């Protein structure tokens, strides 16, 4: 009897330990993949371009080295237009005349009557869509004034290993060109693709005043009368969130 009890207690130890090791190795491998996606696809945002002096129409002004580098990130070439704010807070459209590694020159040609920058900080957390439709998503989100874009990897989205096929490396370029097209002075940030749980634990989500969970199977929630200043728009994949994900989101008090 004692031998039988001993066998019952000792026999499962090895496979249980192997299972834990295999699970840890799988988690570690997935984390390495996520970290690699961060370095490959992430693109930091940028504040509005600005100069410390007042600008005058048709009067050239000098661009320092930092501004030239930031214009390169926006893919603004010589003779192309960009938006910049002067010391009085007024936004201008200016034409880049020339640039080099030390700086450049630009000419303001239009005074903008209102700020082109969004008054509310909006983060779009969108599940990665198939057939390269994320190109359209990041372009239009930029034009509509979001502050950052978070590609999500929920249960029914394109998986992590499918990002290369979706040309995720091109998302940052679409954002830069869209910002130039819509006359924004700032550049929205692109965060690394991440699982839903990672996003819900991130500062982007936890620091938001309001999260709007766009789901056709959830009960509508009333909006507060006071307009929030930091909003998260949470959009699921083409097949919708899984039941487990929907239950998790519905349990959050601020949704």
């Amino acid at each position: 009897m004692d031998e039988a009890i001993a066998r019952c207690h000792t026999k499962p130890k090895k496979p249980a330990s192997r299972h834990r090791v295999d699970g840890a190795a799988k988690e570690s491998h997935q984390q390495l993949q996520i970290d690699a996606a961060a370095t490959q696809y992430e693109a930091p945002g940028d504040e509005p371009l600005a100069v410390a002096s007042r600008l005058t129409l048709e009067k050239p002004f000098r661009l320092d080295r930092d501004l030239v580098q930031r214009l390169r990130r926006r893919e603004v070439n010589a003779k192309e237009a960009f938006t910049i704010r002067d010391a009085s807070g007024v936004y201008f459209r200016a034409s880049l005349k020339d640039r080099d590694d030390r700086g450049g020159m630009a000419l303001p040609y239009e005074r903008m009557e209102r700020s082109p920058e969004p008054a509310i900080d909006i983060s779009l957390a969108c599940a990665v869509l198939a057939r390269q439709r994320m190109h359209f998503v990041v372009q239009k989100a930029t034009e509509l004034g979001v502050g950052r874009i978070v590609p999500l990897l929920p249960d029914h989205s394109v998986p992590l290993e499918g990002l290369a096929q979706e040309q995720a490396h091109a998302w940052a370029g679409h954002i830069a060109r869209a910002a130039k097209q819509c006359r924004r002075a700032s550049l929205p940030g692109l965060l690394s693709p991440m699982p839903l749980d990672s996003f819900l634990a991130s500062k982007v989500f936890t620091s938001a005043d309001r999260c709007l969970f766009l789901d056709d199977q959830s009960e509508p929630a009333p909006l507060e009368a006071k307009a929030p200043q930091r909003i998260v728009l949470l959009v699921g994949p083409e097949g919708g969130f899984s039941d487990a994900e929907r239950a998790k989101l519905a349990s959050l008090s601020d949704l």
Side-chain angles (χ1 to χ4, degrees):
M1 178 68 72
D2 291 340
E3 290 180 3
I5 293 174
R7 283 198 300 271
C8 289
H9 283 283
T10 58
K11 203 171 183 181
K13 285 185 180 178
K14 188 173 181 180
S17 177
R18 185 167 58 248
H19 177 74
R20 288 195 297 271
V21 171
D22 290 345
K26 186 176 180 180
E27 280 188 23
S28 177
H29 178 67
Q30 184 180 36
Q31 189 59 50
L32 286 174
Q33 286 183 306
I34 293 172
D35 292 343
T39 58
Q40 187 173 2
Y41 305 126
E42 195 171 51
D46 195 16
E47 294 296 318
L49 299 173
V51 289
S53 59
R54 287 178 175 264
L55 298 181
T56 304
L57 290 177
E58 303 302 328
K59 182 178 180 180
F61 65 97
R62 181 75 183 167
L63 300 168
D64 61 24
R65 187 175 179 179
D66 176 65
L67 278 174
V68 166
Q69 291 296 328
R70 294 167 69 189
L71 285 172
R72 284 200 178 99
R73 285 190 55 203
R74 289 163 170 77
E75 301 184 5
V76 177
N77 301 311
K79 299 183 180 178
E80 292 185 338
F82 62 95
T83 301
I84 193 166
R85 185 183 65 212
D86 76 352
S88 65
V90 176
Y91 286 86
F92 288 83
R93 292 291 285 171
S95 175
L96 179 62
K97 294 306 179 183
D98 61 73
R99 70 180 183 190
D100 53 36
D101 292 337
R102 295 172 294 178
M105 294 294 296
L107 182 72
Y109 64 86
E110 177 188 348
R111 187 181 190 275
M112 304 180 75
E113 296 302 320
R114 68 179 78 180
S115 168
E117 297 305 302
I120 299 175
D121 185 346
I122 302 175
S123 298
L124 173 65
C126 181
V128 177
L129 305 178
R131 294 180 288 282
Q132 300 175 8
R133 281 181 284 191
M134 285 300 289
H135 295 340
F136 183 78
V137 170
V138 300
Q139 175 191 354
K140 294 307 174 185
T142 300
E143 293 173 356
L144 290 171
V146 304
R148 65 201 54 80
I149 300 168
V150 188
L152 293 181
L153 301 169
D155 292 342
H156 297 161
S157 78
V158 171
L160 187 65
E161 58 270 19
L163 293 178
Q165 183 177 346
E166 297 303 322
Q167 298 183 353
H169 66 276
W171 295 346
H174 284 293
I175 290 174
R177 289 186 289 275
K180 182 167 63 173
Q181 175 67 25
C182 70
R183 298 158 66 105
R184 284 184 67 166
S186 63
L187 197 63
L190 174 66
L191 276 67
S192 61
M194 65 182 70
L196 180 61
D197 286 344
S198 297
F199 173 68
L200 296 179
S202 70
K203 188 177 180 180
V204 173
F205 180 81
T206 57
S207 63
D209 300 327
R210 183 74 173 172
C211 178
L212 302 180
F213 169 31
L214 308 183
D215 180 52
D216 61 350
Q217 297 186 36
S218 297
E219 292 296 325
L223 294 178
E224 299 175 2
K226 183 181 178 181
Q229 293 302 304
R230 294 176 62 87
I231 295 177
V232 167
L233 297 179
L234 186 57
V235 184
E238 294 159 291
F241 287 109
S242 67
D243 291 341
E245 290 169 337
R246 188 175 287 109
K248 182 178 298 184
L249 291 169
S251 69
L252 299 176
S253 60
D254 58 342
L255 292 179

